[in-house]
Amino acid sequence: MIEVENLSKRYGKTRAVDHVTFDVRPGRVTGFLGPNGSGKSTTMRMILHLDHPTTGAVRLNGQPYTSHPEPMRIIGSLLEAHAVEGARTAENHLRWLAHSNGINPARVREMIDLVGLSDVAKNKVKTFSLGMHQRLGIAAALLGSPRILMFDEPLNGLDAEGIAWLRNTLRSLASNGCTVFISSHMLTELAQTADHLLVIGRGRILADAPTSKILSDHASGVVVVRSERPTELADHLTRAGARISRTDTGALTVTGLDGTTVGAIASAAGIALGELTRRPASLEEAFLAITGDATDYRSNPGRPGRPR
């Protein structure tokens, strides 16, 4: 279990993390979300004592990180996949980590096979792609058979097979009682993986709830409908309380009414439908609703400039 209490971090006049308190509990995958600059990575670094908090404390299974003589047996982490000496081979990197934490060296080969790096185990890490770096970092995190796992953007660079493998691995570890804490900008994937979500913005916790509750509270889902009389249909739906927008292909995107009601309104008006599709609530929609007032960097919604 990870316990974070009243944690703050200042850099001069900038408050990167602002008195956050939360628990990451065993038996579930907890996702950690936030806009760029929100304090996610700083919080994770303070959990590992890589950054010293201005105020507050972190406990791993009831004790600070520095109280554990062999920390890789307590928490396995991946914060920066490229933070590896490039001249080492993948195998030697893991052997060094195992030796430093009193881990049976036989685990090295097990982890190399597990993450799919057997064919390149004796290659120097500096020759690795981003995806291979991520796999090596995951192997290092799992090396000590820890009961707590923490990953910052582990999906970057992984192919479809790797993403599916990691999702299944994390869910399996959580189901076996591990504490799993993962930060990612890949919201669609995280929605499939995380049982619980923490959302941070401008250094403060904005939401701390099960994924299902965050989706139900902050995202409504939409109905996509297509007809040869879209303007007339839109008028009927708007009068019934719907909010309407049009896609690039001319379909109507309907918010505020369910698919059954949309179909009934179209039928009563004698309007034939070519498509009636319900799209469930998305984590992206919920995330944007929660963090709308806590985003420091926004894209310009206008047209892109002409190429020069």
Side-chain angles (χ1 to χ4, degrees), residues 75-98:
I75 181 169
S77 63
L78 171 59
L79 299 191
E80 175 48 65
H82 281 92
V84 179
E85 172 54 56
R88 284 192 190 135
T89 66
E91 183 175 356
N92 284 343
H93 171 64
L94 294 179
R95 286 187 180 280
W96 175 79
L97 290 175

Side-chain angles (χ1 to χ4, degrees), residues 60-251:
L60 305 177
N61 292 343
Q63 299 180 36
Y65 179 85
T66 53
S67 298
H68 298 285
E70 296 173 340
M72 290 186 70
R73 293 180 177 272
I74 303 300
I75 181 169
S77 63
L78 171 59
L79 299 191
E80 175 48 65
H82 281 92
V84 179
E85 172 54 56
R88 284 192 190 135
T89 66
E91 183 175 356
N92 284 343
H93 171 64
L94 294 179
R95 286 187 180 280
W96 175 79
L97 290 175
H99 177 74
S100 70
N101 278 258
I103 298 167
N104 187 332
R107 284 283 292 174
V108 171
R109 177 49 59 178
E110 291 177 23
M111 293 302 98
I112 286 174
D113 292 342
L114 177 68
V115 301
L117 292 180
S118 300
D119 292 342
V120 295
K122 297 188 182 301
N123 292 6
K124 291 183 178 180
V125 175
K126 65 183 179 182
T127 66
F128 280 14
S129 67
L130 175 57
M132 293 162 68
H133 272 283
Q134 294 284 36
R135 288 175 181 269
L136 179 59
I138 293 165
L142 298 174
L143 190 61
S145 302
R147 301 299 291 171
I148 302 173
L149 290 159
M150 184 170 70
F151 299 100
D152 190 7
E153 301 290 350
L155 303 175
N156 289 352
L158 293 182
D159 57 18
E161 183 278 332
I163 290 172
W165 169 79
L166 182 58
R167 180 204 313 140
N168 293 333
T169 297
L170 296 180
R171 293 198 63 82
S172 176
L173 289 164
S175 68
N176 287 320
C178 287
T179 299
V180 181
F181 193 33
I182 174 173
S183 166
S184 178
H185 283 99
M186 297 179 66
L187 300 184
T188 301
E189 179 58 36
L190 203 57
Q192 299 180 59
T193 306
D195 308 292
H196 195 93
L197 294 172
L198 285 163
V199 183
I200 188 171
R202 292 182 179 167
R204 296 183 178 183
I205 299 298
L206 305 177
D208 182 352
T211 304
S212 58
K213 179 169 175 54
I214 283 180
L215 287 173
S216 64
D217 287 353
H218 300 282
S220 58
V222 298
V223 174
V224 178
V225 61
R226 193 182 303 274
S227 168
E228 292 184 356
R229 296 154 60 187
T231 302
E232 184 181 349
L233 178 59
D235 289 341
H236 285 289
L237 295 175
T238 300
R239 285 196 293 271
R243 298 183 300 279
I244 307 292
S245 62
R246 292 203 183 196
T247 69
D248 293 340
T249 61

